[in-house]
Amino acid sequence: MCGRKTLTKGKIEIIEELSVDDWDEEFVPSYNIAPTQMAPVLTWRNHHRVVKSMKWGLIPSWSKDMSFASKMINARSETLTIKPAFRNLISRQRGIAITDGYYEWQKTPSGNIPYYIHRSDGKLLLLAALWDTWVTPEKVLMFSYTIITNQASLALKTIHDRMPVVINPDEMMIWLNAEQNSQVLALRLLQANDTGITSYPVSSFVNNVRNNSPECLNPLK
């Protein structure tokens, strides 16, 4: 499960770290990105690394309305080749949800405790995603995406039994370049990967999606 995330780095930092070729949209860093909100997704188009702002929550191209969005924020890796909404995307429309961390809630007898999960070296956390386009009734093209999840690694299983699929930077183009790298190769990357990842509990301040400030990342006292 991945239901809240961050992207606190500036646009120039992201462009330099990911060697982005094209990103002409406005971007505002966020400490509390929630489903149905817009967020940057890295794609590979016309031999360029292109960042596109997309709605979090997949709206399949064949949808009659936007009701799918809130239900499809995550896609289970185990069923990608089976479910109609995903099986045609895995071979041609793979992307990376750009984050520097995500939140997960650990269930305890005294209530749910939010944890912030991120790379210990401070670099971006690259989450495997699928994206699609949908035409609104007003004939506007809308981009949307879903984050792929897998069973959590042994270290993170104490927080939650699912985790987003993290793509290693050196394997990023295997995932992105669907023209050169087959679906079979891409599926091999969908493993529980917690290399270089650490976590710590934060306060319930992050529970409210309207709270969007560095306070979201303050360690739980």
Side-chain angles (χ1 to χ4, degrees):
M1 179 68 179
C2 178
R4 211 76 67 77
K5 54 194 173 77
T6 68
L7 186 52
T8 65
K9 291 191 176 186
K11 187 173 181 177
I12 298 301
E13 288 181 275
I14 298 169
I15 289 173
E16 291 178 349
E17 185 171 335
L18 299 182
S19 299
V20 174
D21 298 304
D22 186 5
W23 185 3
D24 58 6
E25 298 165 315
E26 293 297 320
F27 167 70
V28 178
S30 177
Y31 293 86
N32 202 353
I33 303 171
T36 73
Q37 293 181 353
M38 304 296 287
V41 175
L42 180 64
T43 65
W44 178 253
R45 284 185 282 169
N46 299 321
H47 306 288
H48 287 80
R49 298 185 186 189
V50 180
V51 174
K52 185 71 180 175
S53 182
M54 300 189 188
K55 188 181 187 70
W56 186 9
L58 191 75
I59 308 171
S61 58
W62 40 261
S63 299
K64 294 181 179 180
D65 53 43
M66 297 174 58
S67 61
F68 276 96
S70 61
K71 304 172 186 176
M72 290 192 171
I73 64 170
N74 292 158
R76 296 174 70 93
S77 63
E78 299 90 337
T79 59
L80 288 183
T81 59
I82 301 172
K83 290 197 171 183
F86 310 134
R87 64 189 180 198
N88 292 326
L89 302 181
I90 185 66
S91 63
R92 56 186 174 85
Q93 287 174 199
R94 306 192 293 259
I96 287 177
I98 307 170
T99 72
D100 40 28
Y102 70 97
Y103 301 100
E104 194 57 82
W105 280 257
Q106 180 189 59
K107 293 182 178 180
T108 73
S110 56
N112 294 344
I113 300 175
Y115 275 73
Y116 184 58
I117 302 168
H118 62 104
R119 284 182 59 118
S120 56
D121 60 8
K123 291 186 177 181
L124 291 167
L125 196 64
L126 309 178
L127 307 185
L130 299 176
W131 61 274
D132 208 348
T133 57
W134 178 69
V135 180
T136 71
E138 295 76 26
K139 307 302 180 184
V140 176
L141 189 64
M142 176 175 288
F143 289 78
S144 64
Y145 71 100
T146 185
I147 293 174
I148 300 173
T149 68
N150 205 340
Q151 293 185 9
S153 66
L154 189 61
L156 294 177
K157 196 179 290 286
T158 57
I159 301 174
H160 197 277
D161 63 348
R162 304 287 298 181
M163 67 177 291
V165 172
V166 178
I167 300 295
N168 291 325
D170 59 351
E171 295 177 324
M172 182 171 65
M173 288 311 301
I174 296 177
W175 177 254
L176 283 180
N177 192 345
E179 296 177 1
Q180 182 173 324
N181 300 293
S182 69
Q183 173 177 308
V184 174
L185 284 177
L187 289 172
R188 290 176 185 170
L189 301 181
L190 304 183
Q191 307 294 326
N193 177 14
D194 63 6
T195 303
I197 292 176
T198 189
S199 64
Y200 63 89
V202 296
S203 77
S204 58
F205 181 79
V206 73
N207 291 0
N208 190 331
V209 297
R210 290 173 293 184
N211 294 333
N212 189 351
S213 71
E215 189 176 344
C216 291
L217 301 180
N218 287 347
L220 182 67
K221 295 181 180 178

